[in-house]
Amino acid sequence: MKPVLPYPFIQIAGICDSAEADLVIRCGVPALGFPLRLAVHREDLTEDEAARIIASLPAPSFGVLITYLDKARDIDAFCRKLGSRHVQLHGDVSRGELAELRRLDPELLVIKSLIVRGENESGLQREVADLADVVDAFITDTYDPATGATGATGKLHDWRISANLVAISPRPVILAGGLKPDNVYDAIARVHPAGVDAHTGVEGPDGRKDEALVRCFADEARRGFADLVH
């Protein structure tokens, strides 16, 4: 059975080992992101380690593979190998490849990135219109021109663009890019996303997730989503 994207979707990405996974679960965060097969960043753990952690996650927690792979058969094989039913695609994946991925594995939940690169809002709106029927959700994130990274940049983008994408998208839109405990409430209030994602914004100076920051981020996110309903 195909998983359903929970509302609100709260994700902490960049899990580096089982201890960090346990920390995130203790803080009440359901979605754990595992960046692998990347074009820019160094991977935090091996694929075998990620597979073991994903297999051990207690419900309702689940693992999300985050990757730059752009071919349907490669993505399908990767998800099956690691045992994940959720994938977040940050590469330049064509509509044809996304349609083929859906044919190969109709029960895979696919989140497609929408990368804000300055003034490219019209292009992102066209992407939403073109891809909405072959993905399950979108995630907005920030481009870093210095590194070429399209995720885990720690950089904010113009939330007005994300809010406009939320307004036109028939699919849920998750907000990422520079989110941290002290701005996630305001981000939710301004963008009205279906979920939020943090990576570097909840890490300490050693590059590991800081439990106080993760807990505060999750609490502030839940408060923000609760206030949207009222």
Side-chain angles (χ1 to χ4, degrees):
M1 181 180 296
K2 185 169 188 167
V4 176
L5 193 80
Y7 180 86
F9 178 92
I10 302 174
Q11 175 170 272
I12 298 297
I15 305 301
C16 68
D17 56 27
S18 58
E20 199 161 270
D22 291 343
L23 180 157
V24 170
I25 292 168
R26 283 199 305 274
C27 295
V29 175
L32 286 70
F34 295 84
L36 293 162
R37 303 205 187 177
L38 309 175
V40 177
H41 295 295
R42 180 180 62 83
E43 295 174 348
D44 296 306
L45 76 177
T46 69
E47 293 182 12
D48 287 344
E49 289 169 332
R52 284 194 294 271
I53 295 171
I54 291 169
S56 70
L57 294 175
S61 301
F62 57 93
V64 181
L65 298 182
I66 303 170
T67 183
Y68 283 75
L69 291 175
D70 58 6
K71 299 300 180 186
R73 292 191 178 279
D74 293 340
I75 297 164
D76 175 51
F78 178 49
C79 292
R80 293 182 188 277
K81 175 186 175 184
L82 271 75
S84 177
R85 298 288 76 212
H86 302 74
V87 66
Q88 183 175 315
L89 301 175
H90 274 265
D92 186 14
V93 188
S94 71
R95 174 183 170 79
E97 293 294 336
L98 289 167
E100 174 65 5
L101 180 60
R102 176 150 288 185
R103 186 192 70 78
L104 290 169
D105 191 350
E107 296 185 352
L108 181 66
L109 191 146
V110 177
I111 303 168
K112 179 65 182 72
S113 67
L114 300 169
I115 306 303
V116 181
R117 303 169 184 261
E119 299 301 319
N120 66 331
E121 182 177 346
S122 60
L124 295 177
Q125 290 183 356
R126 288 192 296 272
E127 195 169 347
V128 167
D130 184 46
L131 302 181
D133 65 330
V134 289
V135 302
D136 300 289
F138 293 104
I139 183 166
T140 61
D141 213 331
T142 310
Y143 178 67
D144 184 353
T147 64
T150 58
T153 65
K155 295 181 179 295
L156 295 171
H157 59 261
D158 185 349
W159 288 341
R160 177 189 57 82
I161 294 175
S162 283
N164 290 342
L165 294 172
V166 168
I168 68 163
S169 176
R171 297 293 192 185
V173 178
I174 302 157
L175 177 66
L179 296 183
K180 49 190 177 179
D182 63 5
N183 67 13
V184 67
Y185 179 90
D186 189 39
I188 292 167
R190 291 172 60 182
V191 176
H192 291 207
V196 289
D197 165 283
H199 187 156
T200 59
V202 291
E203 292 177 348
D206 60 355
R208 291 185 63 87
K209 302 299 180 290
D210 179 284
E211 185 160 359
L213 292 177
V214 174
R215 192 174 298 279
C216 185
F217 179 87
D219 289 346
E220 285 296 288
R222 283 190 287 265
R223 185 171 72 91
F225 285 112
D227 284 355
L228 282 186
V229 176
H230 298 111

